[in-house]
């Protein structure tokens, strides 16, 4: 007997077997092997190792394949996959609604003790972590029981993307002061990091990031950007401090947005991927996922390179994080989904891949965690938006009652079972569980009303969040999903400094051309359509806010 142990699979997801529990098959095989030996005799039954060299003399009556279907309650050893999901529920991480319903009976007894330990660890690590959302459970009954914890999780995620009420972006640097001389000091400290204590290095990175967010200082860092980035990469790779790793990842992202003079090469990409795949804290994996998406969005021109990274991100999403040893971690799944969606805004043709991707995202909108639901739903809306492209000369288009011709035409159907998708999206807009806070309900209803609108009519962009506040007296008109996704990602990095960069930073204007209005008069950038790449926009002579002396 030879065990091909990786064939142990969970078929809970229908036609997509899950092999994450494959290593637990050894126990089942040993049990089966002993039973066969008892029935047929020890001399007649021997075992071997799969793929090993063996000197065998036999007469075949086969081969044959047996599939043993086990009901969980009847198996003494259980399944490692089920055990991991049980632990994930107890630790208040993400799990689908179907799995949650199946596991609820086994979780109740352990919920109270685990919840208290998680609360204690969350309190200790709060200052070192960007977002407390990783403590939210997909178990709706647990997540909604504490209204304050759900609200806090939305505080730094980009108001337009999650709140849906047009509220200004949250600014974690509100009490900080910014000056260029201080930036020079901190930059020199980062470059000479080996001579400073850990707490000093963490402070240098934080202040550097804060200043670059709020002051567009490309001229100040241009001559040193290569040294800065190399030091940040070393801090991400070698630091034993979670806080320093997080600070370095945030500093790297704001540096990318400020100056693209440094060649963000394979070393940088490999460092980010290593931080994601290794046994890093959840907060570090989340920030590294965001940095990876932003780097390939801003820097990489090749669609082939972007497709490779998007495939990597989809593996994380479809496996609920298990692909990088973060099974059912809500923060990781949401970050991977947002990073994938950001890169998808640059892809020109997604006809072949859309059906499978939408199938993956549909599984995630069934989550009981709002951040995962919204990120997945936004991806679906973007794919439907991409199924329409501007009318070309040889296209035949219809006219409306007033004689106006359509400006875009449908190229393909993104998903075959559109009626089922519409039904699922509609049910989310109507959900109103008592265990969910009012703010979360409003956020879900607003976001999914827009998503449902686009799936039904792909030429219609986000309506309920069309005007986004980006300052006390400034708002931005956003009429397409790709613009909304890009702006939200830039706001996540720049926070309240977004308006300063929007006015002065050509990288921002190339990435997110839109119409901003305030007490001052702003011009529309280009034709309002996203260029294929930032370098192409520069070659085409795009105009930018802040180019004139008057501004």
């Amino acid at each position: 007997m030879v065990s091909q142990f990786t064939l142990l699979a969970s078929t809970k997801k229908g036609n997509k077997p899950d092999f994450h529990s494959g290593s637990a098959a050894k126990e089942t095989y040993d049990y089966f092997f002993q039973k066969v030996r008892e029935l047929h005799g020890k001399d007649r039954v021997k075992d071997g190792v799969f793929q090993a060299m063996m000197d065998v003399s036999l007469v075949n009556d086969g081969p044959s394949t047996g599939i043993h279907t086990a009901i969980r309650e009847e198996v003494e050893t259980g399944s490692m996959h089920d055990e991991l999901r049980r632990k994930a529920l107890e630790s208040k991480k993400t799990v689908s609604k179907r799995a949650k319903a199946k596991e609820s009976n086994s979780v109740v007894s352990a919920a109270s003790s685990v919840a208290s330990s998680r609360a204690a660890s969350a309190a200790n690590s709060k200052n070192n972590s960007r977002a407390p959302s990783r403590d939210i459970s997909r178990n709706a009954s647990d997540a909604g029981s504490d209204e304050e914890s759900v609200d806090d999780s939305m505080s730094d995620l980009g108001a337009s993307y999650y709140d849906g009420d047009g509220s200004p972006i949250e600014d974690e640097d509100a009490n900080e002061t910014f000056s260029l001389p201080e930036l020079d000091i901190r930059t020199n400290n980062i470059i000479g990091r080996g001579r400073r204590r850990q707490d000093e290095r963490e402070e240098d990175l934080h202040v550097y990031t804060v200043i670059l967010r709020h002051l567009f200082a490309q001229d100040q860092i241009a001559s040193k950007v290569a040294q800065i980035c190399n030091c940040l990469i070393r801090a991400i790779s070698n630091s034993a401090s979670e806080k320093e790793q997080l600070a370095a990842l945030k500093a790297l992202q704001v540096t990318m947005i400020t100056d693209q003079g440094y060649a963000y090469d394979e070393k940088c990409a490999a460092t980010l991927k290593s931080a994601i795949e290794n046994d890093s804290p959840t907060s570090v994996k989340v920030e590294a996922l965001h940095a990876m998406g932003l780097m390939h969005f801003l820097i990489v021109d090749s669609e082939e390179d972007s497709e490779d990274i998007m495939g990597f991100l989809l593996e994380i999403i479809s496996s609920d994080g298990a692909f990088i040893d973060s099974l059912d971690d809500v923060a990781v799944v949401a970050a991977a989904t947002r990073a994938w969606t950001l890169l998808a805004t640059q892809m020109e043709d997604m006809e072949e891949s859309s059906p499978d991707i939408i199938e993956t995202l549909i599984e995630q909108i069934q989550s009981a965690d709002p951040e995962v639901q919204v990120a997945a739903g936004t991806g679906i809306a973007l794919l439907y938006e991409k199924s329409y492209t501007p009318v070309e000369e040889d296209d035949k288009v219809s006219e409306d009652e007033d004689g106006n011709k359509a400006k875009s035409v449908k190229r393909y159907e993104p998903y075959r079972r559109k009626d089922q998708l519409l039904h699922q999206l509609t049910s989310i807009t109507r959900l109103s569980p008592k265990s969910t806070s009012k703010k979360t309900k409003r956020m879900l209803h607003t976001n999914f009303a827009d998503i449902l609108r686009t799936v039904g009519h792909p030429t219609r962009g986000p309506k309920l969040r069309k005007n986004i506040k980006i300052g006390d007296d400034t708002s931005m008109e956003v009429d397409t999903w790709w613009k909304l996704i890009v702006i939200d990602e830039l706001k996540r990095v720049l926070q309240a400094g977004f308006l300063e960069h929007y006015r002065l930073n050509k990288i921002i204007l190339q990435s997110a051309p839109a119409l901003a209005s305030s007490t001052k008069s702003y011009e529309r950038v280009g034709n309002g359509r996203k260029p294929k790449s930032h370098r192409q926009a520069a070659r085409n002579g795009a105009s930018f806010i802040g180019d004139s002396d008057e501004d």
Side-chain angles (χ1 to χ4, degrees), residues 189-216:
N189 289 345
I190 291 171
I191 294 173
R193 64 185 294 272
R195 297 185 294 272
R196 295 178 65 76
R197 300 193 312 269
Q198 178 179 301
D199 60 331
E200 292 175 332
R201 296 197 302 267
E202 293 169 356
E203 181 183 4
D204 289 334
L205 291 167
H206 170 71
V207 176
Y208 169 87
T209 302
V210 169
I211 296 174
L212 278 191
R213 280 175 180 162
H214 292 265
L215 298 177
F216 178 57

Side-chain angles (χ1 to χ4, degrees), residues 105-125:
N105 293 334
S106 61
V107 171
V108 172
S109 61
S112 59
S113 62
V114 176
S116 61
S117 65
R118 288 289 293 177
S121 76
N124 293 333
S125 63

Side-chain angles (χ1 to χ4, degrees), residues 42-274:
K42 295 181 180 180
D43 295 336
R44 298 181 61 190
V45 181
K46 305 293 183 182
D47 66 341
V49 179
F50 184 61
Q51 290 187 329
M53 289 295 294
M54 291 179 285
D55 186 7
V56 179
S57 175
L58 77 164
V59 177
N60 261 351
D61 182 11
S64 61
T65 299
I67 299 176
H68 175 63
T69 303
I71 300 175
R72 185 181 179 191
E73 290 76 9
E74 295 178 359
V75 180
E76 295 179 1
T77 57
S79 166
M80 180 176 291
H81 183 73
D82 291 334
E83 180 68 12
L84 286 172
R85 287 189 175 274
R86 182 185 64 79
K87 290 180 179 179
L89 280 169
E90 292 176 351
S91 60
K92 304 189 77 177
K93 291 183 179 179
T94 177
V95 71
S96 67
K97 289 182 178 179
R98 288 175 292 181
K100 178 191 66 179
K102 294 179 180 179
E103 302 286 357
S104 59
N105 293 334
S106 61
V107 171
V108 172
S109 61
S112 59
S113 62
V114 176
S116 61
S117 65
R118 288 289 293 177
S121 76
N124 293 333
S125 63
K126 183 176 182 180
N127 294 330
N128 297 337
S129 176
R130 179 186 68 80
S133 63
R134 58 190 56 86
D135 292 327
I136 303 176
S137 170
R138 276 194 183 184
N139 189 331
S141 62
D142 292 339
S145 61
D146 187 350
E147 180 169 323
E148 183 178 359
S149 67
V150 177
D151 290 348
D152 287 345
S153 71
M154 305 297 170
S155 63
D156 66 345
L157 297 175
S160 67
Y161 198 103
Y162 291 92
D163 292 345
D165 57 2
S167 57
I169 184 171
E170 297 287 344
D171 183 14
E172 66 183 35
D173 310 324
N175 298 322
E176 303 280 358
T177 57
F178 326 110
S179 71
L180 294 180
E182 182 68 21
L183 176 63
D184 290 335
I185 294 172
R186 300 296 179 169
T187 300
N188 290 331
N189 289 345
I190 291 171
I191 294 173
R193 64 185 294 272
R195 297 185 294 272
R196 295 178 65 76
R197 300 193 312 269
Q198 178 179 301
D199 60 331
E200 292 175 332
R201 296 197 302 267
E202 293 169 356
E203 181 183 4
D204 289 334
L205 291 167
H206 170 71
V207 176
Y208 169 87
T209 302
V210 169
I211 296 174
L212 278 191
R213 280 175 180 162
H214 292 265
L215 298 177
F216 178 57
Q218 183 181 21
D219 293 342
Q220 282 69 30
I221 70 168
S223 62
K224 301 177 181 178
V225 68
Q227 292 174 283
I228 294 170
C229 290
N230 284 330
C231 291
L232 296 177
I233 290 171
R234 285 200 301 270
I236 296 167
S237 301
N238 303 330
S239 178
S241 164
E242 177 183 353
K243 187 174 182 180
E244 184 177 2
Q245 286 181 300
L246 283 172
L249 284 163
K250 292 181 180 181
L252 180 64
Q253 292 173 78
V254 76
T255 303
M256 291 177 188
I257 290 177
T258 302
D259 190 287
Q260 292 184 5
Y262 172 70
Y264 297 89
D265 55 11
E266 294 181 1
K267 182 179 179 182
C268 183
T271 298
L272 295 176
K273 194 170 183 180
S274 177

